[in-house]
Amino acid sequence: MFFCIIICNFAPVKIKEVLSALERFAPLPLQESWDNAGLQVGLTETEVSGALLCLDVNEQIIDEAIRKGCNLIVSHHPLLFRGLKQVSGSDFVQRCVIKAIKNDFCVVSMHTNMDNALDGVNFKMAEKMGAMPVHCDLPEGEKCPMVLAELSKPMAADDFVLMLKRTFDVECVMCNELLRRPIQRVAICGGAGDFMLPDAIKQGADAFVTGEMHYHVYFDHEQKIQICVIGHYQSEQYTSEIFRDIIHKECPGVRTEIAETNTNPIIYL
């Protein structure tokens, strides 16, 4: 009996190559004007020892990267939203910057550019719901802040809400009055998406799924559309899978680890 062992030798990959692959998928011009996606901390000429993929960056995430031997952290939410006027360790952002530099880490973030990208955050949410996106033929470089998707078959409103709870592992879904007609066309906007609700109604969606919404926006939509708010973290939790798939396709040989640390600062009691 003969055994054949195939050994794949991948060329070393630099952090800048991973960053370029991510930005080809979700170009930085797609980000909103107030955002700060892209490189956050570190040097990109370094070879990648492993990439830890996460939603947020905090000290626990950096500790996990140290344990797992990853010198690259790819997050959805940027560590640095605003310029730092000092780096003294007086808050968690400054402490993360200090710890990342001390450990020769690089931190990059793909935020609203990934929200607005074709096959980005909202498309991943639709995939998890088993819904097929419609009207996705966008000109190159155009933003897609919301996805319209069709369920394979219509669902009663209460069954739809239960499906969301199972799919996104949420303790509760904040809804308006339950719709008294079947739900099939769903508008999806991860994160804080209430600004897209009028567009969802205009485009004939039966339901609107987002991560968080202001109180007053719920008013006056009874029996027009089913509003389902599942939590900011919960709506974007699968973004790390997008990062993983991009890196595996474009930078084969780079080890990826989806973070085990739950960075959601909100607890439900």
Side-chain angles (χ1 to χ4, degrees):
M1 183 178 292
F2 296 94
F3 295 92
C4 180
I5 300 176
I6 299 175
I7 300 175
C8 296
N9 293 314
F10 294 104
V13 177
K14 293 184 177 181
I15 287 173
K16 68 178 182 180
E17 296 174 70
V18 177
L19 180 57
S20 293
L22 292 166
E23 291 182 0
R24 283 194 298 273
F25 184 95
L28 291 182
L30 289 180
Q31 71 178 313
E32 301 299 330
S33 60
W34 46 263
D35 199 7
N36 186 41
L39 178 64
Q40 305 284 296
V41 180
L43 304 176
T44 61
E45 288 290 341
T46 308
E47 290 180 8
V48 184
S49 62
L52 184 69
L53 316 176
C54 57
L55 192 66
D56 311 284
V57 180
N58 59 18
E59 291 168 274
Q60 291 73 34
I61 284 289
I62 294 181
D63 289 339
E64 183 176 344
I66 293 171
R67 291 195 306 272
K68 294 182 174 179
C70 298
N71 65 350
L72 171 61
I73 295 173
V74 181
S75 70
H76 182 46
H77 295 140
L79 173 63
L80 302 175
F81 263 116
R82 301 170 185 84
L84 293 177
K85 294 189 175 180
Q86 62 176 6
V87 183
S88 63
S90 61
D91 60 39
F92 90 93
V93 173
Q94 295 179 40
R95 291 193 295 273
C96 284
V97 170
I98 292 169
K99 186 174 282 192
I101 292 173
K102 280 186 174 180
N103 287 277
D104 295 322
F105 282 179
C106 190
V107 180
V108 301
S109 303
M110 299 286 114
H111 190 211
T112 53
N113 54 323
M114 188 61 72
D115 291 331
N116 292 329
L118 194 66
D119 294 325
V121 174
N122 302 322
F123 292 83
K124 176 59 72 172
M125 291 176 65
E127 175 191 315
K128 293 295 182 179
M129 293 163 55
M132 181 65 66
V134 294
H135 305 308
C136 297
D137 297 327
L138 292 173
E140 186 175 351
E142 186 170 328
K143 296 178 181 180
C144 182
M146 182 184 76
V147 170
L148 279 175
E150 297 273 355
L151 299 172
S152 59
K153 59 182 180 180
M155 299 180 70
D158 53 350
D159 290 332
F160 180 73
V161 172
L162 288 174
M163 179 272 289
L164 292 177
K165 291 183 71 172
R166 291 192 304 269
T167 301
F168 295 95
D169 190 26
V170 299
E171 289 84 351
C172 66
V173 177
M174 292 187 289
C175 304
N176 62 342
E177 178 181 273
L178 289 182
L179 204 63
R180 293 192 292 271
R181 70 171 190 269
I183 292 172
Q184 186 159 26
R185 174 165 285 203
V186 184
I188 303 166
C189 183
D194 57 11
F195 69 102
M196 291 304 303
L197 179 59
D199 199 43
I201 295 170
K202 182 179 178 181
Q203 297 196 46
D206 301 309
F208 178 65
V209 179
T210 190
E212 62 177 281
M213 218 168 77
H214 290 88
Y215 172 79
H216 293 285
V217 183
Y218 286 85
F219 282 97
D220 199 30
H221 300 300
E222 295 81 7
Q223 299 309 312
K224 294 179 185 176
I225 192 168
Q226 183 66 66
I227 296 170
C228 297
V229 179
I230 62 176
H232 197 123
Y233 178 94
Q234 290 87 342
S235 71
E236 297 178 332
Q237 62 184 299
Y238 299 118
T239 306
S240 294
E241 295 182 9
I242 306 175
F243 299 152
R244 178 197 62 198
D245 294 345
I246 295 168
I247 294 171
H248 285 183
K249 179 182 177 182
E250 301 294 332
C251 303
V254 172
R255 178 173 59 91
T256 60
E257 301 276 355
I258 292 181
E260 299 173 74
T261 302
N262 184 326
T263 56
N264 190 359
I266 301 170
I267 61 173
Y268 300 84
L269 301 176

